[in-house]
């Protein structure tokens, strides 16, 4: 099953130095999930060939503008382009009021249903459960209420050993039962154990998106062992005091999070506009957690275990 994330924006606060504020899109089994939607996200989607018509789920971490100011424009474009299928938006409660107000004064009535599912920050909760994934909120520690999101692939059915099954001439009609772990009883009464006819599917993959936050061990247990961790790294560690004042994280701290939570791989992003180049961010993070990459816009990261 495809499980990958494409970076659409990696700047904090403002667009600068060819970096757009935060947005990224997950492709999970050919379904698209948009995570945050800063100003300019539509242009980034056009630039990197992400089709808005394929997005059925949008997740907004918090109500600082660099994480949601592109949303109303995107909703309006979907309307103008003839969308009719439903859209779900997972977000803080106040975002619906903001969207409704803008639509009201532009006299726009969307021609498709939008369902707002409101997130909470006092405890983690499951907000989406479909045939492919389960999505949980990650309560974070920012200046205003903020959540990250944990995307967890569902365990797939067992895989049939084709040669073994064909040799026993097992009917195709029994394959579903085999995939679910059932043993097979032949016509002569012989029992064939399931593990001789099938193999286990791959371990489910996980992606943790940790938006704006202080370094805070409170969320470490929830993201322990993730396949891929995205963590904000707004400043270099020589500006730790500034990071603490603004409730942000440094590149060094993001790497420490990855190390302490046993992540397989780390992506850092949300870079302050004060930094024109990003090599120092990568060097600082890799000094603690070598398997780190920068959230370079347009880059797609394949999530694997």
């Amino acid at each position: 099953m495809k499980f990958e994330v494409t970076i659409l924006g990696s700047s904090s606060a403002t667009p600068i130095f060819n970096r757009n504020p935060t947005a990224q899109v997950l492709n999970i089994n050919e379904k698209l999930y948009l995570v945050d939607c800063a100003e300019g996200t539509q242009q980034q989607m056009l630039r990197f060939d992400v089709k808005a018509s394929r997005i059925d789920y949008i997740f907004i971490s918090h109500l600082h503008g660099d994480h949601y100011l592109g949303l109303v424009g995107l909703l309006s474009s979907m309307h103008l382009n003839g969308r009719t299928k439903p859209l779900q938006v997972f977000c803080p409660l106040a975002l619906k009021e903001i969207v409704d107000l803008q639509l009201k004064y532009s006299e726009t009535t969307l021609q498709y249903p939008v369902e707002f599912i409101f997130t909470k920050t006092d405890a983690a909760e499951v907000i989406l459960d479909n045939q492919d994934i389960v999505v949980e909120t990650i309560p974070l520690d920012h200046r205003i209420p903020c959540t990250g999101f944990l995307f967890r692939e569902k365990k797939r059915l067992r895989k049939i050993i084709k040669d073994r099954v064909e040799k026993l001439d097992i009917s195709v009609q029994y394959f579903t039962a085999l995939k679910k772990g059932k043993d097979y009883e032949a016509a002569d009464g012989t029992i064939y154990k399931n593990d001789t006819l099938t193999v286990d599917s791959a371990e489910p993959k996980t992606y943790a998106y940790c938006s704006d936050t202080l370094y805070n061990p409170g969320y470490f247990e929830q993201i322990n062992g993730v396949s891929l961790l995205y963590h904000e790294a707004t400043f270099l560690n020589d500006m730790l005091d500034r990071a603490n004042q603004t409730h942000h994280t440094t590149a060094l701290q993001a790497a420490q999070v990855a190390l302490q939570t046993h992540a397989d791989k780390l992506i850092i992003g949300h870079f302050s506009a004060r930094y024109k180049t990003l090599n120092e961010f990568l060097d600082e993070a890799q000094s603690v957690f070598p398997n780190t990459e920068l959230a370079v816009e347009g880059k797609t990261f394949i999530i694997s275990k």
Side-chain angles (χ1 to χ4, degrees):
M1 184 173 79
K2 181 173 283 190
F3 197 166
E4 60 187 32
V5 58
T6 299
I7 306 301
L8 301 178
S10 63
S11 179
S12 69
T14 61
I16 196 166
F17 305 131
N18 294 317
R19 300 195 301 265
N20 210 65
T22 302
Q24 47 187 250
V25 63
L26 277 79
N27 183 333
I28 303 175
N29 203 20
E30 299 303 341
K31 295 183 179 69
L32 299 189
Y33 302 74
L34 182 66
V35 184
D36 279 339
C37 186
E39 174 190 1
T41 294
Q42 286 191 81
Q43 289 286 356
Q44 296 293 84
M45 290 168 62
L46 292 170
R47 181 182 175 191
F48 300 122
D49 195 28
V50 175
K51 293 179 172 55
S53 60
R54 293 180 57 201
I55 295 172
D56 293 332
Y57 309 95
I58 298 176
F59 300 83
I60 303 298
S61 62
H62 65 295
L63 294 183
H64 280 152
D66 56 324
H67 293 260
Y68 83 91
L69 284 179
L71 180 62
V72 171
L74 178 60
L75 297 180
S76 297
S77 292
M78 288 176 169
H79 162 76
L80 293 171
N81 289 328
R83 184 186 181 105
T84 57
K85 63 177 178 175
L87 178 72
Q88 289 186 313
V89 180
F90 302 85
C91 61
L93 174 65
L95 185 58
K96 185 178 187 302
E97 179 183 356
I98 294 169
V99 171
D100 286 346
L101 189 66
Q102 293 185 67
L103 294 176
K104 174 183 176 180
Y105 285 103
S106 65
E107 297 186 7
T108 300
T109 302
L110 300 179
Q111 299 302 303
Y112 60 93
V114 179
E115 179 185 5
F116 289 88
I117 297 95
F118 303 123
T119 53
K120 303 172 185 176
T121 56
D122 55 348
E125 62 177 345
V126 173
I127 54 174
L128 177 64
D129 186 342
N130 62 24
Q131 65 181 8
D132 296 317
I133 59 165
V134 174
V135 184
E136 302 173 12
T137 54
I138 305 171
L140 298 174
D141 186 355
H142 194 40
R143 290 194 298 111
I144 64 173
C146 181
T147 66
F149 302 101
L150 177 62
F151 297 80
R152 189 181 304 278
E153 180 185 38
K154 285 190 172 178
K155 179 76 170 175
R156 313 303 284 180
L157 296 176
R158 295 181 67 84
K159 297 180 181 180
I160 288 174
I161 304 173
K162 185 178 179 181
D163 293 345
R164 178 70 169 151
V165 168
E166 288 178 349
K167 185 176 180 180
L168 294 172
D169 198 26
I170 299 176
S171 170
V172 172
Q173 295 173 335
Y174 201 79
F175 282 11
T176 299
L178 289 176
K179 290 178 179 180
K180 290 181 178 179
K182 299 288 187 181
D183 295 335
Y184 173 69
E185 182 177 357
D188 63 3
T190 303
I191 302 295
Y192 295 89
K193 292 295 185 181
N194 186 271
D195 59 9
T196 67
L197 304 173
T198 68
V199 294
D200 199 9
S201 59
E203 283 300 305
K205 298 180 282 288
T206 48
Y207 176 60
Y209 171 82
C210 291
S211 179
D212 299 17
T213 184
L214 270 173
Y215 176 92
N216 184 335
Y219 57 91
F220 288 8
E221 182 178 355
Q222 186 184 4
I223 65 173
N224 189 64
V226 294
S227 309
L228 181 62
L229 169 63
Y230 169 87
H231 201 287
E232 74 118 303
T234 308
F235 300 101
L236 293 172
N237 209 59
D238 61 0
M239 296 200 68
L240 179 58
D241 288 345
R242 179 61 176 162
N244 289 334
Q245 290 168 8
T246 57
H247 282 237
H248 283 296
T249 308
T250 69
L252 187 73
Q253 289 178 317
Q256 290 170 337
V257 174
L259 184 66
Q260 292 178 59
T261 60
H262 311 287
D264 288 345
K265 185 181 182 69
L266 170 66
I267 306 170
I268 53 173
H270 199 263
F271 308 113
S272 169
R274 72 182 62 240
Y275 301 102
K276 188 170 185 178
T277 61
L278 303 175
N279 290 339
E280 288 182 87
F281 280 87
L282 189 60
D283 291 343
E284 184 169 286
Q286 287 184 338
S287 71
V288 172
F289 191 80
N291 196 14
T292 301
E293 292 194 44
L294 299 172
V296 176
E297 295 181 11
K299 184 163 184 175
T300 295
F301 296 89
I302 296 173
I303 301 170
S304 58
K305 194 66 178 177

